[in-house]
């Protein structure tokens, strides 16, 4: 096992070195200092808004990380998830994985307003999402990293892809690996990014089948700890309200740490897609879960590398796209909206579609 830890650590270090040495995009290089001469205080502006919100709503940290994830998996990290429906755009917010689920849209709008007041027409909404994810990690006592910047915002959304490309909470390991591979993310990325479920909440409707009728067997999921099962049944009674919330991490629900992985080892993963990483027979992810559980530094380094890698998916740069004036509308089309920013639900998570 020690030799595996060494190999995994070397892999993570090499990945970080490559990310630092190579262009962050095949089209143009993203750069953490992109706004050095145009909006030097952007990070502190974003941080202040999120810090104030998280004082009264610590769950928002997981929500903002999840927004970035759900954005990047659908036509790239281009802030398409923020666009409202108009006469020409069908919003991704109404897609199955997002509907009555995503949170933080109003917070992003507040961030954008603060940034525009300081640096009008300069910072993209896509970069705000990437910065918000990193800042949320830090405020939850997780890792920090230098966020590559220079993304531009999309002119469109893709409702169809939002229904097709995001992993579901009941996915098995093969489905998870395939979904991540479609984004050029490997199994280390899968396990590391899933670790964002160390903070946040989930609604009963996303895991209740594990409690009562797993895979239509009429029985609970056999990979669910029986004591935890009874706890969850008391929170989510059979046939009860599906929108009741419970913690994704039953140990340290608002602290970004590696307890998510030790929970999996104890069969205390909340979502099926979480527990699959440890309980699938012969799983290629098992040794990575064990390594991250025993070495939080290793997890943090892998998480940073995977977040930077994910944040580079399908970015628009240069003259592509635009810098939106409002994050929920493309420029010039705000008057065409058929509905205002979606009223947000009381559910959020880190990087799952649940």
């Amino acid at each position: 096992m020690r030799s595996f830890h060494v190999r995994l650590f070397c892999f993570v270090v090499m990945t970080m070195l490559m990310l630092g040495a190579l262009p962050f995009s095949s089209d143009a290089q993203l750069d953490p200092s992109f706004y050095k001469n145009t909006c030097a205080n952007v990070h502190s502006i974003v941080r202040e808004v999120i810090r104030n919100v998280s004082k009264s709503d610590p769950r928002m940290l997981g929500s903002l990380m999840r927004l970035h994830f759900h954005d990047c998996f659908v036509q790239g990290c281009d802030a398409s998830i923020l666009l409202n429906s108009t006469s020409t755009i069908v919003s991704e917010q109404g897609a199955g994985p997002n509907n009555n689920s995503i949170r933080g849209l109003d917070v992003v709008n507040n961030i954008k307003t603060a940034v525009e007041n300081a640096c009008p027409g300069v910072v993209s909404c896509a970069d705000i999402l990437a910065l918000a994810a990193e800042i949320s990690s830090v405020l939850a006592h997780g890792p920090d990293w230098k966020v590559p910047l220079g993304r531009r915002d999309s002119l469109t959304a893709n409702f169809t892809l939002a229904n097709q490309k995001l992993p579901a909470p009941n996915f098995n390991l093969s489905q998870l690996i395939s979904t991540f591979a479609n984004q050029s993310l490997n199994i280390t990325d899968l396990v590391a990014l899933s670790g964002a479920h160390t903070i946040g909440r989930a609604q009963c409707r996303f895991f209740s089948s594990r409690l009562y009728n797993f895979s239509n067997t009429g029985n609970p999921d056999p990979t669910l700890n029986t004591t935890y099962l009874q706890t969850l049944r008391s929170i989510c009674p059979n046939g009860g309200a599906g929108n009741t919330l419970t913690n994704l991490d039953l140990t340290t629900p608002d602290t970004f740490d590696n307890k998510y992985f030790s929970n999996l080892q104890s069969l205390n993963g909340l979502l099926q897609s979480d527990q699959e990483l440890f309980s699938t027979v012969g799983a290629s992810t098992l040794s990575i879960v064990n390594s991250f559980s025993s070495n939080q530094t290793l997890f943090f380094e892998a998480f940073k590398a995977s977040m930077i890698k994910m944040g580079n998916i399908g970015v628009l740069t240069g003259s592509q796209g635009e810098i939106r004036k409002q994050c929920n509308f493309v420029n010039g089309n705000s008057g065409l909206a058929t509905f205002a920013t979606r009223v947000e639900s009381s559910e959020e998570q880190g990087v799952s579609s649940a």
Side-chain angles (χ1 to χ4, degrees):
M1 179 59 71
R2 183 177 183 277
S3 63
F4 174 80
H5 286 184
V6 173
R7 292 196 303 273
L8 182 59
F9 179 77
C10 290
F11 172 79
V12 170
V13 170
M14 286 301 297
T15 300
M16 293 293 288
L17 289 173
M18 290 175 65
L19 287 169
L22 298 176
F24 286 105
S25 168
S26 58
D27 300 312
Q29 185 171 354
L30 299 183
D31 185 347
S33 61
F34 185 82
Y35 297 112
K36 179 180 179 180
N37 298 321
T38 55
C39 195
N41 294 327
V42 61
H43 189 279
S44 60
I45 295 170
V46 176
R47 185 184 188 279
E48 186 62 15
V49 175
I50 297 174
R51 186 181 66 84
N52 287 331
V53 171
S54 66
K55 288 178 181 178
S56 58
D57 184 7
R59 294 194 294 121
M60 187 54 65
L61 302 178
S63 300
L64 292 172
M65 295 183 76
R66 184 173 179 238
L67 266 183
H68 182 45
F69 177 88
H70 277 222
D71 180 44
C72 291
F73 266 55
V74 180
Q75 75 177 24
C77 307
D78 60 1
S80 60
I81 194 172
L82 303 178
L83 289 173
N84 285 358
S85 285
T86 68
S87 60
T88 58
I89 292 174
V90 180
S91 176
E92 295 169 16
Q93 297 166 25
N98 296 327
N99 190 35
N100 294 321
S101 174
I102 56 170
R103 300 176 72 238
L105 302 175
D106 56 339
V107 176
V108 173
N109 286 338
N110 290 340
I111 294 171
K112 179 63 170 175
T113 297
V115 171
E116 285 293 304
N117 287 340
C119 318
V122 172
V123 180
S124 69
C125 300
D127 276 347
I128 286 174
L129 287 177
L131 285 168
E134 186 269 343
I135 291 166
S136 294
S137 170
V138 173
L139 290 175
H141 308 290
D144 67 285
W145 59 94
K146 293 185 181 299
V147 180
L149 300 169
R151 301 167 189 79
R152 288 171 66 85
D153 300 322
S154 71
L155 302 174
T156 62
N158 199 315
F159 176 86
T160 300
L161 286 183
N163 278 315
Q164 295 175 347
K165 297 295 186 180
L166 291 164
N170 62 346
F171 268 12
N172 61 36
L173 184 59
S174 295
Q175 291 171 309
L176 290 169
I177 291 173
S178 176
T179 300
F180 276 67
N182 288 338
Q183 305 291 348
S184 297
L185 298 172
N186 57 37
I187 62 169
T188 301
D189 299 317
L190 165 61
V191 179
L193 292 172
S194 295
H197 282 179
T198 184
I199 58 174
R201 314 287 189 270
Q203 295 182 42
C204 291
R205 63 191 176 104
F206 293 117
F207 58 86
S208 59
S209 63
R210 297 189 71 204
L211 312 182
Y212 302 102
N213 188 26
F214 182 67
S215 298
N216 295 316
T217 61
N219 297 307
D221 185 344
T223 67
L224 187 58
N225 181 295
T226 54
T227 301
Y228 190 37
L229 169 64
Q230 297 309 314
T231 299
L232 292 176
R233 281 182 166 180
S234 68
I235 297 170
C236 307
N238 198 10
N243 60 354
T244 301
L245 291 168
T246 193
N247 297 323
L248 281 162
D249 179 345
L250 81 166
T251 309
T252 52
D254 294 319
T255 301
F256 196 105
D257 55 24
N258 66 338
K259 295 298 189 291
Y260 165 85
F261 299 104
S262 57
N263 290 338
L264 299 186
Q265 292 173 321
S266 302
L267 305 185
N268 287 326
L270 182 63
L271 305 177
Q272 178 185 344
S273 57
D274 291 327
Q275 196 59 53
E276 289 278 334
L277 302 177
F278 181 81
S279 295
T280 302
V281 176
S284 55
T285 52
L286 175 60
S287 57
I288 305 174
V289 170
N290 290 336
S291 295
F292 289 168
S293 176
S294 63
N295 189 332
Q296 181 167 281
T297 300
L298 186 64
F299 164 49
F300 278 13
E301 291 302 313
F303 184 78
K304 292 191 291 186
S306 294
M307 285 296 288
I308 292 172
K309 187 175 177 181
M310 183 188 76
N312 188 47
I313 296 173
V315 295
L316 303 175
T317 58
S319 61
Q320 299 171 319
E322 66 180 11
I323 304 298
R324 291 185 209 142
K325 297 176 182 178
Q326 294 177 269
C327 288
N328 48 340
F329 303 113
V330 297
N331 293 342
N333 284 348
S334 59
L336 300 177
T338 56
F339 59 87
T341 301
R342 178 174 298 274
V343 176
E344 297 173 346
S345 73
S346 59
E347 188 276 334
E348 61 79 20
Q349 296 185 35
V351 290
S352 170
S353 63

